[in-house]
Structure formats: structure tokens, C-alpha cells
Amino acid sequence: MKDGATRDGYGEALLELGANPDVVVLDSGVSDSSRTQKFGKAFPDRFFNMGIAEADMVCTAAGLATTGKIPFATTFACFLLGRSMDQILVSVAYSNTNVKLAGTHAGMAVGEDGPSAQMIVDLAYTRAIPNMLVLQPADWEEARQATIALTKHTGPAYLRLGRPKVKGLYDSSYKFEIGKASTLEQGKDVVIFATGILVQESLKAIEELKKENISPTLINISTIKPLDVDFIASQAQKHGAVITAEDHNQFGGLGDAVADALMQKGVLVPMKKVAVRDQFAETGTAAELFEKYGLSANHVARTVKEVLQQKKK
Amino acid sequence: MDSTQTATPEIAELEKLAKEIRRQCLNVIHRAGSGHPGGSLSATDLVTALFFGGLMKYDPKNPKDPDRDRFLLSKGHASALYYVALARAGFFPEKDLETYRRINSPRFLSGHAHPKTPGVEIASGSLGQGLSVAHGIALGTRLDKRNCKVFVILGDGELQEGQIWEAAMSASKFKSTHLTAIVDYNKVCQDSITKDLKDLEPLEDKWRAFGWDTHRINGHNMKEIMQTLKLPAHAEKPRVIIADTIKGKGVSFMEGQTAWHGVAPSDEDLEKALKELA
């Protein structure tokens, strides 16, 4: 199992995908950070660095897609979504062009660059868009496989990637499948649906909870839209208590997606979200911010206990 | 490809056709009860030349032919003109124009075009996006060594969108020589005269400074339009044709009026307009 940032798994996958002459990559002047640079060096004819012009990049990708190319339009999540929402709506989603939007450095985990760089509303943006597939891998290997899987899916997609290096969860025997959640820890008292870097925090929380004889199940939700509704509903029913965990604002992200799924299925069990509490954070390391703003393993563990209290009642 | 599109018709024939298309635009908008007559009439001569002057390679029976030349209408509100041209070119029956802006339109003839309509490449309706999309198409077809010609019509007001200038920088950076942007410079926006809203001048200087092969023509002079559109591609620059036009061209009471940006003619207005275009 390989440790590494999800953006690194993405960059590695692009390099592999270079063998496909239809794959093209666009960037907005951050190719060293977004990890598209290796593809750019290996396949210069199929790499378009559009300068610091995200709106132009997204629409150029849409034009390329109409000629049969599979464009990966890549930049920091905060600018990709923030600067190009209208372009994504009209030229990508409504036009239903086969554009893959890869947003790196997502969430509060970006750290010291501060709240203007900490994209905490992108899942809300992208989930709300018809035709849009939304993925967030949890480690290097899953990021690599998810990127490759996107070339086999026809249609618009958002791939949410992180900056920090994270622990490997999967090896190459893992088979990522769009739309399928995967169970990382099988317990019985409560089910945690986590996505992205919060999978890591949840694993740390589970280690601590086990010492107190609390046995949670951990499920990695790497396809946020369309959600694996039947599986999520059955797991929620089985455990009788639910936690969601994400590095995203509490509105519009995984928590709301899961709540919506449970409501649709008529599964009414105690549920709590671990998410950004509708506020902008500040500068600091990812670990410091997660502790102060409610996303660390400690917060996951505490929230598990809270929901178990509700379950008992 | 239809052989009638290869021969260049006489200028007089194109002028006659443009007049018919203007009449048809007004009829279509009148029947729909809403739409954008001013910007459709200003761009009619340009669109007529592109579709019927033998300049573009297209096959209405195979609208997704990868070797087709591309046309994009970035100022998407002139959709009546777009659909009339596509129908006359054979992409769908002219009878379907009766469903313009109507629910359950079989060809999805929405207020702003969408690729569900045969012959349409990309959705429009938000100004400023079409030049980037057209440039993406130029890059894609160049990768495939098809070198299709890509034409995109921009509105003058649309040049106030920052993204146009992002795309202008990109196309010159990538030396996208098969891309031609045509500015329908009708001088009138929705609520203001363009000059008062935000002046574009000196417009030729701006495009030149962005690295484009820049031309300025009378956008209602068919001979000049055809001559400019027939120029061979520049060796290394994308091309822009700034076409001076008149909003509502051909109908005296519509010409140069903001009021006719987005209003359908009444029965009486239509009758008067069609007389002038007889």
C-alpha cells in the first residue's frame, strides 16, 4: 500500500493514460502543484497550460471534448469551481461534454494558505449540477484508479483531490468502481460514512474507540454522486446509528447526501455529521485546523459517542 | 457533402437569400411571441455567407462528421437566425421552426441553442464562453490533423466579458490559425448603446495587441464579407473579423434600437417589417 497524496495518484494515472491518444490535460498555471506537469513533459502536444484563466480552461476543455478528446481540466479546487461555475454549468454539464474536472488542494487540509484557498463548498456546488459525477478518492491508489475509471465513463465529472500526503489504504488488488462504496472496517455499533481525508481521521478515531469497546464500521464513500444509496441505507438500518465525516462545509456535502438517501429510503436512525461548522477557518497546519475546527480524529470519536447516546435513548 | 455548397453562389444570390432569412427570422420570432430580433438581423449577412457561400464544409445528413468545419454562435440569443440557417441548410425540416421556444420542441429549439439540435456544437446562453469553446475545437481537430476551420460569431457587448480576452490570449499563444472569430459589431446592447455601457474602442488595436490577424469590414456588404472569409489562414495567428453592423438591419424602425433587442414584433410590426424586407 502506497502512501502519498491523492493528487500524486492522479498525476501518476495521467501518465499511464498518456498511452491513450484521446487523453488531453489542461492546467491553469499550477501544473507543478496539481501534478499534471509529468504528463505535460511526456506528452507536450496533448498538454495545454492555459495560464491563470480557469474559465477559459474549462470551456477550452469542453471544445476539445466535442472533438472526441477526453480532457482533464485541472487546477486548485478553489479556483476551478469558484472561477468557472457558470462555464461548468453551460459548456460542461448542460452541454453534457465529456470533461473531467480535477480540483486539487480541496478542503481545509490545504492549511497555511488560508481560507481563500480552503475550498469547503465544492461538493455542494458539484452535487447540485445535473449530469455531474462527483468522486473523492481516499488514498493514492484509489486516486490512481478513479482517474483511470473516469476515462471509461462518458460525461462530466468532478474529481476532488487533496494536497497532503496520506497513508495508503488500498493496494493494487483493490478494484475501484464508480458508484460503489467500500468497507474499510467492519464493526457493529455505529457506521461511519467518510470521504477523502476524513477516512484517515476516522481510522485513527476507531483505534481509540476500540480501546473503549466501541466497535464502529467504516465505509469509504468515494463516489459522492451518484451515491450508493441501497448499500448506505442497509448499513444505516443494520447499525442503527450513523456518522458522516468530510473536509467540507456541513451544508451540501456528503452529510446532506447521506441524510437525503436515508430520508428517501425511510431509514430514520440517529445521525450526526463531522464537517466544517459553517464557518471560514484561518491559517495553520492541517492538523491544527482539523483540531480547532472540528475535523480531527478526536472530533470523530466524540461524535461517535454522542450518536451512540442518542441510539440508547 | 451536398455539392450545392461547394460552388460559390453569386453575391446577388446571397444577398437575396439574406433578405429571405431576415423575413424568416422575424416570422419565427413573431410566432414564438418572444425572442431577439435586433441581434438576429445584424448577424444575418455574416451567417448567410458562412452557411451558404461555400465557405464551410458540412453534411446535414452527418452532422457529427469529424471532418466538418465548425460554426458556433457565442451570442446565443440570436438563436432564431441560427435555427433558420440550420433548417435551410438541411439539418432539420423548416416546418420544425414553428416549435421555436416551445415546450416539447422535437429539435429542442430552445431560446438559446443546445447540441440536441442537429448542427449545434455547444450550449449557449451565457455570454463569453464561445470563443474558448471554439478554440478548444481548433486544438482538438489540429491534434487529429484534420485542421477543420472553426468560425465563431461574438456579439460586441459580449467583448465586455473578461473570458473573451482570456481566450484571445490562449488562441494566440497556441497559434490557432484555423480559428476565426467574427464580431457582430452592432453597437447596441440590451439596455444601452455599447459605447455608453462600456466602450470597446480602439477595438482593432485591442485584438492586434492580443496577437490576432485583425480585419475590419462592413458586415452588411456581402462582397466584402465573402472576400474576407475566403482569405487563406494566417501563417501563425488566429483571425478576427470585426464586422460593423446595424442592430435590426433591414427594418427601419428596429435599426439601432435597444428596444428591439429582446422583443417579438406584434402582428402590425411584423407586417410593416416584412413589407420593408420585400
Side-chain angles (χ1 to χ4, degrees):
Chain A
M1 280 179 282
K2 188 174 159 69
D3 296 347
T6 52
R7 61 177 164 143
D8 285 312
Y10 171 69
E12 179 67 25
L14 290 182
L15 209 52
E16 286 178 42
L17 287 169
N20 178 349
D22 285 334
V23 170
V24 298
V25 177
L26 300 91
D27 204 296
S28 292
V30 295
S31 62
D32 49 344
S33 301
S34 70
R35 304 299 196 242
T36 63
Q37 203 170 53
K38 279 187 191 163
F39 180 95
K41 283 187 176 146
F43 308 100
D45 292 352
R46 286 186 275 137
F47 178 67
F48 304 102
N49 198 332
M50 305 306 292
I52 305 161
E54 296 79 11
D56 182 41
M57 173 180 73
V58 167
C59 288
T60 305
L64 279 156
T66 71
T67 70
K69 303 290 168 234
I70 306 170
F72 284 83
T74 317
T75 185
F76 298 154
C78 53
F79 309 130
L80 179 64
L81 278 301
R83 303 295 295 216
S84 315
M85 191 60 176
D86 179 41
Q87 288 74 14
I88 290 168
L89 273 174
V90 178
S91 289
V92 178
Y94 177 46
S95 294
N96 208 13
T97 46
N98 193 22
V99 174
K100 315 306 177 189
L101 303 157
T104 69
H105 298 64
M108 207 179 272
V110 73
E112 294 89 335
D113 280 342
S116 59
Q118 295 162 6
M119 180 38 121
I120 55 164
V121 299
D122 51 335
L123 294 179
Y125 279 8
T126 51
R127 277 185 63 228
I129 302 173
N131 292 343
M132 187 66 69
L133 172 74
V134 182
L135 303 182
Q136 177 166 233
D139 80 341
W140 184 94
E141 176 65 22
E142 192 174 40
R144 189 186 71 80
Q145 291 195 29
T147 306
I148 291 166
L150 282 177
T151 61
K152 287 158 192 151
H153 165 92
T154 304
Y158 175 53
L159 180 65
R160 188 181 206 239
L161 300 164
R163 173 181 181 242
K165 185 173 174 179
V166 295
K167 208 161 86 48
L169 305 170
Y170 300 102
D171 60 27
S172 57
S173 68
Y174 170 66
K175 294 277 172 279
F176 170 82
E177 209 181 312
I178 289 172
K180 286 270 174 259
S182 72
T183 304
L184 285 168
E185 179 80 29
Q186 189 63 61
K188 58 179 176 41
D189 300 325
V190 55
V191 57
I192 304 171
F193 298 114
T195 187
I197 196 164
L198 261 290
V199 172
Q200 307 277 344
E201 295 300 321
S202 299
L203 279 170
K204 285 186 246 168
I206 288 170
E207 272 179 50
E208 294 307 308
L209 289 164
K210 277 181 178 168
K211 291 176 193 163
E212 300 175 45
N213 289 321
I214 297 169
S215 155
T217 291
L218 175 61
I219 295 174
N220 170 24
I221 307 291
S222 42
T223 304
I224 292 164
K225 186 186 171 188
L227 205 60
D228 196 350
V229 172
D230 290 335
F231 180 66
I232 286 172
S234 69
Q235 290 295 312
Q237 188 80 61
K238 190 172 138 190
H239 289 81
V242 173
I243 298 286
T244 58
E246 60 194 311
D247 180 5
H248 184 275
N249 199 20
Q250 68 185 81
F251 301 121
L254 175 69
D256 280 4
V258 168
D260 181 65
L262 297 183
M263 185 184 70
Q264 297 294 338
K265 288 282 170 186
V267 177
L268 302 171
V269 296
M271 173 178 164
K272 279 190 175 289
K273 295 176 188 172
V274 175
V276 178
R277 294 159 185 171
D278 198 28
Q279 66 190 141
F280 292 106
E282 62 186 291
T283 189
T285 66
E288 288 165 344
L289 292 169
F290 276 20
E291 199 55 51
K292 182 167 177 182
Y293 290 92
L295 302 179
S296 67
N298 288 332
H299 290 279
V300 176
R302 192 177 309 146
T303 311
V304 163
K305 288 179 200 166
E306 283 170 12
V307 87
L308 285 175
Q309 283 301 315
Q310 285 185 339
K311 187 185 172 184
K312 274 184 202 158
K313 281 178 191 167
Chain B
M1 188 187 143
D2 187 343
S3 61
T4 56
Q5 256 108 45
T6 51
T8 304
E10 294 299 319
I11 298 298
E13 279 179 43
L14 283 172
E15 286 168 346
K16 193 174 150 234
L17 182 56
K19 199 178 258 186
E20 280 175 36
I21 288 175
R22 283 194 165 89
R23 292 167 59 90
Q24 212 167 353
C25 284
L26 293 176
N27 274 317
V28 161
I29 294 169
H30 171 259
R31 192 185 290 109
S34 66
H36 296 81
S40 295
L41 298 184
S42 65
T44 299
D45 297 305
L46 300 164
V47 169
T48 303
L50 282 167
F51 274 86
F52 308 105
L55 299 160
M56 285 200 309
K57 190 168 70 167
Y58 60 85
D59 178 0
K61 289 184 189 68
N62 183 16
K64 294 287 172 198
D65 177 3
D67 284 317
R68 70 195 181 278
D69 291 329
R70 306 312 204 269
F71 171 80
L72 281 80
L73 183 73
S74 189
K75 45 167 282 183
H77 50 283
S79 56
L81 170 63
Y82 200 177
Y83 298 142
V84 167
L86 288 170
R88 294 191 78 110
F91 285 91
F92 53 85
E94 288 187 49
K95 177 101 178 106
D96 288 343
L97 292 169
E98 290 172 13
T99 67
Y100 178 50
R101 298 176 81 103
R102 292 276 160 82
I103 195 161
N104 299 323
S105 169
R107 308 289 168 175
F108 207 77
L109 303 185
S110 175
H112 296 81
H114 183 278
K116 280 181 191 166
T117 301
V120 173
E121 305 290 344
I122 196 85
S124 62
S126 178
L127 294 175
Q129 301 189 19
L131 186 57
S132 301
V133 176
H135 182 223
I137 294 172
L139 292 173
T141 55
R142 183 166 73 188
L143 273 180
D144 290 339
K145 304 200 166 31
R146 298 184 195 279
N147 287 321
C148 305
K149 288 184 269 186
V150 186
F151 297 97
V152 54
I153 292 194
L154 310 172
D156 58 344
E158 185 175 14
L159 303 190
Q160 292 166 355
E161 291 281 5
Q163 189 185 345
I164 292 291
W165 303 99
E166 294 181 5
M169 289 174 81
S170 295
S172 63
K173 167 184 165 166
F174 289 101
K175 297 185 168 55
S176 296
T177 55
H178 285 65
L179 174 63
T180 300
I182 303 167
V183 180
D184 174 18
Y185 198 177
N186 66 28
K187 322 289 187 300
V188 178
C189 295
Q190 177 172 328
D191 73 348
S192 311
I193 302 301
T194 310
K195 178 164 62 71
D196 301 335
L197 185 57
K198 204 183 253 183
D199 197 2
L200 304 174
E201 295 297 341
L203 190 54
E204 288 158 83
D205 290 348
K206 284 192 174 77
W207 285 100
R208 279 197 198 99
F210 277 76
W212 286 59
D213 175 41
T214 305
H215 300 259
R216 188 153 186 167
I217 65 167
N218 175 347
H220 299 307
N221 182 322
M222 194 58 80
K223 197 174 161 195
E224 214 179 325
I225 294 170
M226 288 297 292
Q227 276 171 353
T228 315
L229 286 173
K230 277 184 194 170
L231 289 173
H234 191 277
E236 53 187 18
K237 293 178 179 182
R239 175 167 294 145
V240 61
I241 300 169
I242 301 165
D244 284 303
T245 57
I246 294 165
K247 191 136 174 169
K249 170 70 179 176
V251 179
S252 60
F253 58 91
M254 291 185 179
E255 287 190 359
Q257 302 297 316
T258 52
W260 285 99
H261 170 83
V263 178
S266 65
D267 295 351
E268 197 184 322
D269 293 330
L270 179 71
E271 199 186 321
K272 275 201 284 182
L274 293 180
K275 261 185 204 156
E276 291 191 25
L277 290 166

